[in-house]
Amino acid sequence: MQRSGLFGSRVRSAAVAGAAVVVTVGAGLVAAAPAQAAPRPCPGTGPGDPSKCARVVGIDPGSALVMRTAPRYSATPVARWGNGQWLEVSCWTTGDPDADGNGYRYWMRVFTGSSSGYVNDWYLDTGGPSTWKPIIPQC
């Protein structure tokens, strides 16, 4: 997948600013900006499949994006995902704001082959609400 110039610029800006994503049990997430792209068919599902996928982005090596049972950081962790992991997006909701203070409250209900739960959309390459609200239903 080729990243857009805006996304690459944000990633470089985040790196220069020393921004990092840190996920630990019981802790929140920290990031510089939401990722840019758009939900798309999951790899290997074939043309016309209505499922939508997004990839995890912006996670520091050795860290993970925590999937939770509800759209809040105090909810039980279900799984942890690193950069590049494909997650199937089923719907969106609002919940706790991102932990880095941007006030980003959108969470996606996502699935993999073995688990489901919620992740803050800030750390997915969905492109943000103006991109996905027309195609992803509210939970």
Side-chain angles (χ1 to χ4, degrees):
M1 180 180 94
Q2 187 174 11
R3 294 184 178 177
S4 70
L6 178 59
F7 177 72
S9 173
R10 286 184 175 183
V11 169
R12 284 187 296 278
S13 296
V16 171
V21 175
V22 179
V23 179
T24 58
V25 176
L29 303 173
V30 178
Q36 299 296 310
R40 57 217 163 268
C42 296
T45 60
D49 191 295
S51 64
K52 302 296 179 195
C53 281
R55 282 205 283 187
V56 176
V57 294
I59 305 298
D60 281 346
S63 295
L65 175 62
V66 178
M67 181 187 297
R68 299 181 181 278
T69 57
R72 59 183 177 272
Y73 294 112
S74 62
T76 303
V78 175
R80 289 168 171 72
W81 306 111
N83 288 326
Q85 173 68 43
W86 288 94
L87 302 174
E88 182 180 343
V89 176
S90 66
C91 60
W92 66 271
T93 190
T94 56
D96 286 350
D98 62 289
D100 62 358
N102 290 300
Y104 196 80
R105 300 181 77 86
Y106 293 107
W107 289 66
M108 294 291 185
R109 180 158 174 90
V110 296
F111 297 87
T112 64
S114 61
S115 60
S116 68
Y118 293 87
V119 296
N120 192 298
D121 181 53
W122 191 263
Y123 309 99
L124 299 177
D125 68 347
T126 60
S130 63
T131 301
W132 50 254
K133 274 189 175 181
I135 57 175
I136 303 292
Q138 187 170 6
C139 298

